[in-house]
Amino acid sequence: MDFFPALTDAHRAFVERQPVFFVATAAEGARINLSPKGMDSFRVLDAGTVAYLDVGGSGNETNAHLAADGRITIMFCAFDRPALIFRIYGHGTAVLPQDDRWDALYAQFTPLPGTRQIFEIAVDQVQTSCGWGVPVMTLDRERQTLSKYHAGQSDAERLAEWAEHPRSIDGLPTRVPTIAPGAAR
């Protein structure tokens, strides 16, 4: 295992090849949340900053946990060769479409149907480890189900759905979008 204070060019190249990553957050008195992510939604902004585009799904735990505590861990696993587990430890914030920083950050991504927010993470430390216990697997294809679901909704329907859930499963408050990505403020 090795630790680094920031991402290197080799780390960035590794991250860009990975089709899936995992996000873990926690807040005092709340459950630990661990979620898989994909859909070409992760970006290395610079050696000390990463971000990912969050598409609305079953909950908004990451938003609640970051507002309450700020800590976040991102993990990538090499399912091909060479084996590697790559973790980014940091502190994150949610940037929503109504926020002033939205347009500049959103421009770093390919728009996805159902985009709810972007999580921007200041990197505290990076860790690499062997990954020898991770199986070798190949990617068949991305699932299109979530994109199709969101493409079938209007912006107004999606915003109304998210507004119905202003709390995490543990009752922590979340911030919800009040405008759709790309809408005039």
Side-chain angles (χ1 to χ4, degrees):
M1 156 176 53
D2 291 305
F3 286 95
F4 305 85
L7 285 92
T8 66
D9 289 342
H11 295 150
R12 174 180 238 158
F14 171 77
V15 164
E16 289 173 352
R17 291 191 309 270
Q18 304 314 307
V20 65
F21 61 100
F22 302 86
V23 176
T25 58
E28 187 175 340
R31 290 168 242 227
I32 296 169
N33 186 58
L34 175 62
S35 298
K37 305 291 180 184
M39 303 172 70
D40 185 33
S41 59
F42 194 88
R43 298 291 182 270
V44 175
L45 302 178
D46 58 49
T49 314
V50 298
Y52 74 91
L53 192 76
D54 178 64
V55 174
S58 59
N60 203 359
E61 303 309 297
T62 302
N63 181 298
H65 289 174
L66 292 182
D69 181 83
R71 294 175 303 144
I72 186 168
T73 300
I74 308 288
M75 184 180 76
F76 293 88
C77 297
F79 293 106
D80 56 1
R81 289 189 170 83
L84 181 68
I85 296 174
F86 183 81
R87 291 181 181 92
I88 299 170
Y89 301 101
H91 284 79
T93 58
V95 180
L96 280 70
Q98 63 264 27
D99 296 341
D100 291 338
R101 297 180 332 147
W102 176 262
D103 290 336
L105 200 51
Y106 189 54
Q108 303 296 315
F109 295 91
T110 302
L112 294 171
T115 294
R116 176 171 51 190
Q117 60 207 333
I118 298 169
F119 292 111
E120 185 176 33
I121 299 119
V123 175
D124 295 332
Q125 195 170 47
V126 174
Q127 176 197 33
T128 60
S129 58
C130 69
W132 295 341
V134 175
V136 175
M137 300 187 311
T138 57
L139 175 66
D140 184 29
R141 68 184 184 285
E142 293 276 354
R143 294 181 197 271
Q144 299 300 313
T145 310
L146 190 57
S147 291
K148 287 179 183 177
Y149 170 77
H150 285 299
Q153 289 182 309
S154 70
D155 288 342
E157 290 170 323
R158 194 174 309 108
L159 291 170
E161 182 180 317
W162 291 336
E164 292 175 9
H165 305 284
R167 299 209 167 269
S168 73
I169 59 175
D170 292 311
L172 297 172
T174 64
R175 287 182 61 222
V176 296
T178 56
I179 63 172
R185 283 179 243 225

